[in-house]
Amino acid sequence: MSKQSGSLRRYILTRIALAVPMVFILLVLVFVMMRVAPGDPIAASQGGKLSAAELAIRRHAAGFDKPLYEQFWEYLKSVATLNFGTTFSDNLSVREVIIQRGGATLSLSFGALLVATVIGVPVGLVAGRFRDRGIDVTGRLFAIITYAAPAFVLGLLAQLAFGPNGLNLLPTSGQSSLLVGLNVPTTTHILILDAAIAGDWGAVGDIAQHLVLPSVTLGLIIVGVFIRMIRVNVIQTLQGDYVEAARARGIKETSVVTRHAFRNALVPVVTVLGLQVAMLLGGSVLTEKTFNWPGIGQALITYINARDYAAVQGIVTVFALVVVVISMLIDFVNALIDPRVRY
Protein backbone atom coordinates (compact mmCIF):
# COMPACT_ATOMS: atom_id res chain seq x y z
CA MET A 1 0.00 0.00 0.00
CA SER A 2 1.37 3.43 -0.96
CA LYS A 3 1.78 6.20 1.58
CA GLN A 4 -0.85 8.37 -0.14
CA SER A 5 -3.52 5.66 -0.24
CA GLY A 6 -2.79 4.83 3.40
CA SER A 7 -3.22 8.46 4.48
CA LEU A 8 -6.48 8.69 2.51
CA ARG A 9 -7.84 5.59 4.21
CA ARG A 10 -6.85 6.88 7.65
CA TYR A 11 -8.53 10.20 6.89
CA ILE A 12 -11.75 8.50 5.78
CA LEU A 13 -11.85 6.26 8.86
CA THR A 14 -11.14 9.23 11.14
CA ARG A 15 -13.86 11.30 9.46
CA ILE A 16 -16.39 8.49 9.87
CA ALA A 17 -15.44 8.08 13.54
CA LEU A 18 -15.90 11.81 14.14
CA ALA A 19 -19.31 11.70 12.45
CA VAL A 20 -20.68 9.25 15.04
CA PRO A 21 -20.77 11.70 18.00
CA MET A 22 -22.00 14.45 15.69
CA VAL A 23 -24.94 12.29 14.57
CA PHE A 24 -25.65 11.35 18.19
CA ILE A 25 -25.76 15.02 19.23
CA LEU A 26 -28.11 15.80 16.33
CA LEU A 27 -30.42 12.97 17.35
CA VAL A 28 -30.44 14.19 20.95
CA LEU A 29 -31.33 17.71 19.81
CA VAL A 30 -34.16 16.49 17.59
CA PHE A 31 -35.53 14.28 20.35
CA VAL A 32 -35.36 17.03 22.99
CA MET A 33 -36.93 19.67 20.71
CA MET A 34 -39.87 17.40 19.97
CA ARG A 35 -40.39 16.67 23.69
CA VAL A 36 -40.13 20.26 24.97
CA ALA A 37 -42.60 21.58 22.38
CA PRO A 38 -45.81 22.72 24.12
CA GLY A 39 -48.96 20.63 24.09
CA ASP A 40 -49.78 16.95 23.83
CA PRO A 41 -48.95 15.63 20.32
CA ILE A 42 -51.67 12.98 20.37
CA ALA A 43 -54.39 15.37 21.51
CA ALA A 44 -53.21 18.11 19.12
CA SER A 45 -53.10 15.83 16.08
CA GLN A 46 -56.63 14.56 16.77
CA GLY A 47 -58.07 18.04 17.16
CA GLY A 48 -59.77 17.32 20.49
CA LYS A 49 -61.99 14.62 18.99
CA LEU A 50 -60.96 11.82 21.37
CA SER A 51 -62.02 11.15 24.93
CA ALA A 52 -59.53 10.96 27.80
CA ALA A 53 -59.63 7.16 27.74
CA GLU A 54 -59.03 7.01 23.98
CA LEU A 55 -56.17 9.52 24.33
CA ALA A 56 -54.57 7.34 26.99
CA ILE A 57 -54.77 4.33 24.66
CA ARG A 58 -53.19 6.31 21.82
CA ARG A 59 -50.46 7.66 24.11
CA HIS A 60 -49.65 4.15 25.28
CA ALA A 61 -49.54 2.83 21.69
CA ALA A 62 -47.18 5.67 20.73
CA GLY A 63 -45.00 5.03 23.81
CA PHE A 64 -45.46 8.53 25.24
CA ASP A 65 -46.31 7.15 28.68
CA LYS A 66 -42.85 5.58 29.01
CA PRO A 67 -39.91 7.26 30.76
CA LEU A 68 -37.88 9.60 28.55
CA TYR A 69 -34.82 7.35 28.49
CA GLU A 70 -36.96 4.48 27.14
CA GLN A 71 -38.50 6.79 24.54
CA PHE A 72 -35.02 7.91 23.49
CA TRP A 73 -33.82 4.31 23.18
CA GLU A 74 -36.83 3.49 21.00
CA TYR A 75 -36.05 6.57 18.91
CA LEU A 76 -32.44 5.46 18.39
CA LYS A 77 -33.64 2.01 17.30
CA SER A 78 -36.09 3.58 14.86
CA VAL A 79 -33.28 5.65 13.32
CA ALA A 80 -30.99 2.60 13.08
CA THR A 81 -33.71 0.64 11.25
CA LEU A 82 -35.01 3.68 9.30
CA ASN A 83 -38.46 2.87 10.64
CA PHE A 84 -39.87 6.10 12.05
CA GLY A 85 -43.28 4.79 13.03
CA THR A 86 -46.71 5.98 11.92
CA THR A 87 -48.08 9.50 11.60
CA PHE A 88 -50.72 10.49 14.15
CA SER A 89 -52.85 12.64 11.84
CA ASP A 90 -53.32 10.36 8.81
CA ASN A 91 -52.00 6.97 10.00
CA LEU A 92 -49.33 6.66 7.31
CA SER A 93 -45.86 5.15 7.59
CA VAL A 94 -43.39 8.01 8.08
CA ARG A 95 -40.82 6.11 6.03
CA GLU A 96 -43.28 5.76 3.14
CA VAL A 97 -44.10 9.47 3.32
CA ILE A 98 -40.38 10.27 3.08
CA ILE A 99 -39.86 7.85 0.18
CA GLN A 100 -42.89 9.05 -1.78
CA ARG A 101 -42.22 12.75 -1.21
CA GLY A 102 -38.41 12.52 -1.30
CA GLY A 103 -38.21 12.16 -5.07
CA ALA A 104 -39.87 15.54 -5.61
CA THR A 105 -37.52 17.24 -3.16
CA LEU A 106 -34.51 15.49 -4.70
CA SER A 107 -35.39 16.62 -8.23
CA LEU A 108 -36.00 20.17 -6.99
CA SER A 109 -32.68 20.26 -5.09
CA PHE A 110 -30.77 18.88 -8.09
CA GLY A 111 -32.38 21.45 -10.38
CA ALA A 112 -31.55 24.24 -7.93
CA LEU A 113 -27.92 23.10 -7.65
CA LEU A 114 -27.68 23.01 -11.45
CA VAL A 115 -29.07 26.56 -11.68
CA ALA A 116 -26.68 27.80 -9.01
CA THR A 117 -23.71 26.21 -10.79
CA VAL A 118 -24.64 27.45 -14.27
CA ILE A 119 -25.12 31.01 -13.01
CA GLY A 120 -22.68 31.23 -10.11
CA VAL A 121 -19.56 29.71 -11.66
CA PRO A 122 -19.26 31.93 -14.78
CA VAL A 123 -20.37 35.09 -12.93
CA GLY A 124 -17.84 34.47 -10.16
CA LEU A 125 -15.11 33.73 -12.69
CA VAL A 126 -15.75 36.90 -14.71
CA ALA A 127 -16.11 39.04 -11.57
CA GLY A 128 -12.78 37.79 -10.23
CA ARG A 129 -11.07 38.26 -13.58
CA PHE A 130 -12.27 41.87 -13.94
CA ARG A 131 -11.90 42.90 -10.33
CA ASP A 132 -13.37 46.31 -9.27
CA ARG A 133 -14.74 46.97 -12.74
CA GLY A 134 -18.37 47.48 -13.61
CA ILE A 135 -19.04 43.82 -14.29
CA ASP A 136 -17.49 42.89 -10.93
CA VAL A 137 -19.63 45.40 -9.04
CA THR A 138 -22.74 44.13 -10.83
CA GLY A 139 -21.89 40.52 -10.02
CA ARG A 140 -21.30 41.29 -6.33
CA LEU A 141 -24.55 43.26 -6.10
CA PHE A 142 -26.44 40.37 -7.70
CA ALA A 143 -24.86 37.94 -5.23
CA ILE A 144 -25.84 40.07 -2.22
CA ILE A 145 -29.43 40.54 -3.38
CA THR A 146 -30.03 36.86 -4.15
CA TYR A 147 -28.39 35.74 -0.91
CA ALA A 148 -30.49 38.12 1.19
CA ALA A 149 -33.83 37.65 -0.56
CA PRO A 150 -36.22 35.18 1.13
CA ALA A 151 -37.22 32.16 -0.94
CA PHE A 152 -40.94 32.93 -0.82
CA VAL A 153 -40.35 36.50 -2.06
CA LEU A 154 -38.34 35.27 -5.06
CA GLY A 155 -41.00 32.61 -5.69
CA LEU A 156 -43.86 35.08 -5.64
CA LEU A 157 -41.99 37.47 -7.96
CA ALA A 158 -41.30 34.59 -10.37
CA GLN A 159 -44.97 33.60 -10.32
CA LEU A 160 -46.07 37.17 -11.03
CA ALA A 161 -43.55 37.59 -13.84
CA PHE A 162 -43.92 34.27 -15.67
CA GLY A 163 -47.30 32.97 -14.51
CA PRO A 164 -50.83 33.59 -15.83
CA ASN A 165 -50.85 37.15 -14.45
CA GLY A 166 -47.60 37.99 -16.23
CA LEU A 167 -45.98 36.61 -19.36
CA ASN A 168 -47.80 33.27 -18.93
CA LEU A 169 -44.75 31.29 -20.05
CA LEU A 170 -44.34 28.70 -17.29
CA PRO A 171 -46.50 26.74 -14.82
CA THR A 172 -46.52 28.14 -11.29
CA SER A 173 -47.97 25.26 -9.27
CA GLY A 174 -47.49 21.53 -8.87
CA GLN A 175 -44.94 19.06 -10.17
CA SER A 176 -46.84 18.33 -13.38
CA SER A 177 -50.19 18.72 -15.07
CA LEU A 178 -52.83 16.62 -13.33
CA LEU A 179 -53.31 13.93 -15.99
CA VAL A 180 -49.58 13.73 -16.71
CA GLY A 181 -48.73 13.01 -13.09
CA LEU A 182 -51.42 10.35 -12.78
CA ASN A 183 -50.38 8.53 -15.97
CA VAL A 184 -46.66 8.24 -15.20
CA PRO A 185 -45.89 4.82 -13.64
CA THR A 186 -44.03 5.02 -10.33
CA THR A 187 -40.60 3.40 -10.42
CA THR A 188 -38.09 5.64 -8.64
CA HIS A 189 -40.49 8.22 -7.10
CA ILE A 190 -38.62 10.86 -9.14
CA LEU A 191 -41.36 11.87 -11.56
CA ILE A 192 -39.23 13.20 -14.40
CA LEU A 193 -36.98 10.13 -14.24
CA ASP A 194 -39.99 7.79 -14.14
CA ALA A 195 -41.42 9.51 -17.22
CA ALA A 196 -38.09 9.12 -19.05
CA ILE A 197 -37.90 5.42 -18.10
CA ALA A 198 -41.43 4.95 -19.44
CA GLY A 199 -40.42 6.70 -22.68
CA ASP A 200 -43.13 9.36 -22.28
CA TRP A 201 -41.21 12.37 -23.54
CA GLY A 202 -44.28 14.56 -23.61
CA ALA A 203 -44.58 14.01 -19.85
CA VAL A 204 -40.85 14.73 -19.44
CA GLY A 205 -41.31 18.09 -21.15
CA ASP A 206 -44.35 18.93 -19.03
CA ILE A 207 -42.57 18.02 -15.78
CA ALA A 208 -39.45 19.96 -16.83
CA GLN A 209 -41.56 23.08 -17.42
CA HIS A 210 -43.07 22.77 -13.94
CA LEU A 211 -39.55 22.35 -12.52
CA VAL A 212 -38.10 25.56 -13.97
CA LEU A 213 -39.52 28.26 -11.67
CA PRO A 214 -39.06 26.46 -8.32
CA SER A 215 -35.55 25.34 -9.31
CA VAL A 216 -34.52 28.86 -10.31
CA THR A 217 -36.03 30.27 -7.11
CA LEU A 218 -34.24 27.78 -4.88
CA GLY A 219 -31.02 28.01 -6.90
CA LEU A 220 -30.87 31.79 -6.54
CA ILE A 221 -30.76 31.38 -2.76
CA ILE A 222 -27.32 29.75 -2.90
CA VAL A 223 -25.95 31.28 -6.11
CA GLY A 224 -24.60 34.25 -4.15
CA VAL A 225 -22.34 31.95 -2.12
CA PHE A 226 -20.95 30.42 -5.33
CA ILE A 227 -20.27 33.83 -6.88
CA ARG A 228 -18.48 35.23 -3.84
CA MET A 229 -16.40 32.10 -3.22
CA ILE A 230 -15.24 31.73 -6.82
CA ARG A 231 -14.57 35.46 -7.19
CA VAL A 232 -12.37 35.62 -4.08
CA ASN A 233 -10.44 32.49 -5.00
CA VAL A 234 -9.93 33.58 -8.62
CA ILE A 235 -8.48 36.88 -7.35
CA GLN A 236 -6.14 35.02 -5.00
CA THR A 237 -4.98 32.49 -7.57
CA LEU A 238 -4.36 35.18 -10.19
CA GLN A 239 -1.82 36.67 -7.77
CA GLY A 240 0.02 33.37 -7.38
CA ASP A 241 3.60 32.81 -8.56
CA TYR A 242 2.64 29.98 -10.89
CA VAL A 243 0.17 32.28 -12.69
CA GLU A 244 2.87 34.91 -13.14
CA ALA A 245 5.19 32.19 -14.46
CA ALA A 246 2.52 31.10 -16.95
CA ARG A 247 2.13 34.67 -18.14
CA ALA A 248 5.90 35.05 -18.44
CA ARG A 249 5.99 32.00 -20.72
CA GLY A 250 3.64 33.85 -23.07
CA ILE A 251 0.51 31.81 -22.38
CA LYS A 252 -2.67 33.63 -23.38
CA GLU A 253 -4.55 35.38 -20.59
CA THR A 254 -7.73 33.38 -21.34
CA SER A 255 -5.83 30.14 -20.89
CA VAL A 256 -4.19 31.41 -17.71
CA VAL A 257 -7.57 32.24 -16.19
CA THR A 258 -9.45 29.10 -17.26
CA ARG A 259 -6.72 26.44 -16.96
CA HIS A 260 -4.77 27.75 -13.97
CA ALA A 261 -6.74 30.18 -11.81
CA PHE A 262 -10.20 28.71 -12.34
CA ARG A 263 -9.28 25.11 -11.53
CA ASN A 264 -7.63 26.06 -8.26
CA ALA A 265 -10.51 28.38 -7.36
CA LEU A 266 -12.95 25.47 -7.52
CA VAL A 267 -11.30 23.50 -4.69
CA PRO A 268 -12.77 25.61 -1.84
CA VAL A 269 -16.14 25.62 -3.60
CA VAL A 270 -16.30 21.84 -3.28
CA THR A 271 -15.95 22.27 0.48
CA VAL A 272 -18.70 24.88 0.67
CA LEU A 273 -20.94 22.72 -1.51
CA GLY A 274 -21.66 20.39 1.40
CA LEU A 275 -22.79 23.30 3.55
CA GLN A 276 -25.20 24.45 0.85
CA VAL A 277 -27.14 21.19 1.14
CA ALA A 278 -28.52 22.43 4.46
CA MET A 279 -29.56 25.70 2.81
CA LEU A 280 -31.19 23.78 -0.03
CA LEU A 281 -33.20 21.63 2.37
CA GLY A 282 -34.20 24.65 4.44
CA GLY A 283 -35.07 26.68 1.35
CA SER A 284 -37.01 23.80 -0.18
CA VAL A 285 -39.56 24.01 2.67
CA LEU A 286 -40.61 27.55 1.68
CA THR A 287 -40.12 26.99 -2.04
CA GLU A 288 -42.28 23.86 -2.08
CA LYS A 289 -45.01 25.67 -0.16
CA THR A 290 -44.88 28.64 -2.53
CA PHE A 291 -45.13 26.51 -5.67
CA ASN A 292 -47.35 23.78 -4.18
CA TRP A 293 -44.52 21.33 -4.87
CA PRO A 294 -45.34 17.86 -3.44
CA GLY A 295 -42.01 17.29 -1.66
CA ILE A 296 -40.86 16.57 1.86
CA GLY A 297 -40.74 20.28 2.70
CA GLN A 298 -44.43 20.78 2.03
CA ALA A 299 -45.22 17.58 3.93
CA LEU A 300 -43.21 18.91 6.88
CA ILE A 301 -45.26 22.12 6.97
CA THR A 302 -48.48 20.12 6.79
CA TYR A 303 -47.47 17.89 9.70
CA ILE A 304 -46.23 20.85 11.76
CA ASN A 305 -49.61 22.53 11.34
CA ALA A 306 -51.28 19.25 12.36
CA ARG A 307 -48.97 19.01 15.39
CA ASP A 308 -48.00 15.53 14.18
CA TYR A 309 -44.76 15.16 16.14
CA ALA A 310 -44.02 11.63 14.93
CA ALA A 311 -43.94 12.77 11.30
CA VAL A 312 -42.02 15.97 12.11
CA GLN A 313 -39.45 14.04 14.15
CA GLY A 314 -38.90 11.52 11.37
CA ILE A 315 -38.58 14.12 8.60
CA VAL A 316 -36.25 16.41 10.59
CA THR A 317 -34.11 13.40 11.50
CA VAL A 318 -33.77 12.44 7.83
CA PHE A 319 -32.84 16.02 6.93
CA ALA A 320 -30.12 16.01 9.60
CA LEU A 321 -28.72 12.64 8.48
CA VAL A 322 -28.66 13.72 4.83
CA VAL A 323 -26.65 16.83 5.70
CA VAL A 324 -24.14 14.78 7.72
CA VAL A 325 -23.70 12.13 5.01
CA ILE A 326 -23.26 14.65 2.20
CA SER A 327 -20.78 16.67 4.29
CA MET A 328 -18.76 13.49 4.78
CA LEU A 329 -18.81 12.70 1.07
CA ILE A 330 -17.67 16.24 0.25
CA ASP A 331 -14.78 15.84 2.71
CA PHE A 332 -13.79 12.56 1.05
CA VAL A 333 -13.78 14.19 -2.40
CA ASN A 334 -11.74 17.09 -1.03
CA ALA A 335 -9.18 14.73 0.44
CA LEU A 336 -8.94 12.94 -2.89
CA ILE A 337 -8.46 16.20 -4.82
CA ASP A 338 -6.14 17.97 -2.36
CA PRO A 339 -3.69 15.68 -0.48
CA ARG A 340 -3.01 18.45 2.06
CA VAL A 341 -6.46 17.84 3.58
CA ARG A 342 -5.44 14.34 4.66
CA TYR A 343 -2.71 15.69 6.92
Side-chain angles (χ1 to χ4, degrees):
M1 181 188 299
S2 66
K3 184 177 180 180
Q4 287 190 352
S5 61
S7 63
L8 179 60
R9 189 172 73 169
R10 283 195 303 272
Y11 175 80
I12 292 175
L13 293 176
T14 303
R15 186 64 183 82
I16 293 174
L18 291 174
V20 174
M22 181 169 58
V23 170
F24 181 78
I25 292 172
L26 283 172
L27 296 180
V28 171
L29 289 175
V30 172
F31 179 82
V32 170
M33 285 190 297
M34 291 297 102
R35 295 310 183 277
V36 300
D40 186 297
I42 303 294
S45 63
Q46 298 301 321
K49 294 179 290 187
L50 299 179
S51 65
E54 290 173 323
L55 282 175
I57 294 174
R58 294 289 185 91
R59 285 179 57 81
H60 177 73
F64 286 153
D65 57 347
K66 297 179 180 179
L68 282 179
Y69 68 88
E70 290 188 20
Q71 293 185 41
F72 183 64
W73 176 246
E74 293 296 327
Y75 171 56
L76 291 181
K77 290 196 295 185
S78 71
V79 173
T81 58
L82 298 180
N83 181 15
F84 301 102
T86 305
T87 62
F88 301 146
S89 56
D90 47 18
N91 199 34
L92 296 174
S93 167
V94 177
R95 181 168 61 180
E96 287 302 315
V97 171
I98 294 171
I99 292 174
Q100 292 173 9
R101 297 292 196 103
T105 298
L106 183 62
S107 59
L108 176 59
S109 299
F110 180 81
L113 194 59
L114 182 63
V115 168
T117 303
V118 170
I119 297 176
V121 170
V123 172
L125 175 62
V126 173
R129 169 64 182 85
F130 300 100
R131 180 184 182 183
D132 294 331
R133 300 185 189 179
I135 193 169
D136 178 31
V137 175
T138 303
R140 282 185 287 169
L141 183 62
F142 175 73
I144 293 171
I145 293 174
T146 54
Y147 184 78
F152 67 90
V153 172
L154 294 176
L156 291 175
L157 290 176
Q159 288 176 331
L160 290 173
F162 299 100
N165 296 324
L167 299 175
N168 197 23
L169 295 177
L170 294 166
T172 59
S173 178
Q175 193 179 6
S176 67
S177 301
L178 181 60
L179 293 179
V180 170
L182 293 175
N183 291 331
V184 173
T186 301
T187 304
T188 65
H189 294 286
I190 302 176
L191 193 60
I192 192 169
L193 184 58
D194 289 342
I197 292 174
D200 190 345
W201 301 109
V204 170
D206 178 81
I207 298 165
Q209 288 182 18
H210 282 77
L211 185 60
V212 172
L213 286 185
S215 293
V216 171
T217 298
L218 188 55
L220 288 177
I221 296 175
I222 64 172
V223 73
V225 178
F226 279 56
I227 293 173
R228 295 176 63 126
M229 283 292 298
I230 293 177
R231 175 187 176 275
V232 168
N233 285 284
V234 166
I235 291 174
Q236 290 179 347
T237 53
L238 284 175
Q239 296 172 349
D241 293 337
Y242 61 94
V243 173
E244 294 297 330
R247 286 169 173 163
R249 292 198 302 270
I251 298 177
K252 294 181 179 179
E253 185 67 16
T254 303
S255 182
V256 169
V257 173
T258 55
R259 295 181 59 186
H260 293 75
F262 179 55
R263 287 185 179 181
N264 287 279
L266 283 182
V267 175
V269 176
V270 175
T271 304
V272 176
L273 189 62
L275 302 177
Q276 301 315 303
V277 175
M279 290 189 64
L280 281 175
L281 292 176
S284 68
V285 175
L286 295 175
T287 305
E288 288 178 8
K289 187 64 177 177
T290 303
F291 289 94
N292 193 28
W293 191 264
I296 299 180
Q298 189 178 32
L300 179 61
I301 293 178
T302 301
Y303 286 123
I304 289 175
N305 292 333
R307 302 285 295 279
D308 194 328
Y309 290 180
V312 173
Q313 179 176 273
I315 293 173
V316 172
T317 300
V318 169
F319 275 7
L321 293 177
V322 167
V323 172
V324 170
V325 170
I326 292 182
S327 297
M328 287 177 55
L329 293 177
I330 293 297
D331 287 344
F332 297 161
V333 172
N334 242 350
L336 191 62
I337 295 175
D338 189 353
R340 293 173 299 178
V341 175
R342 308 172 199 173
Y343 302 98

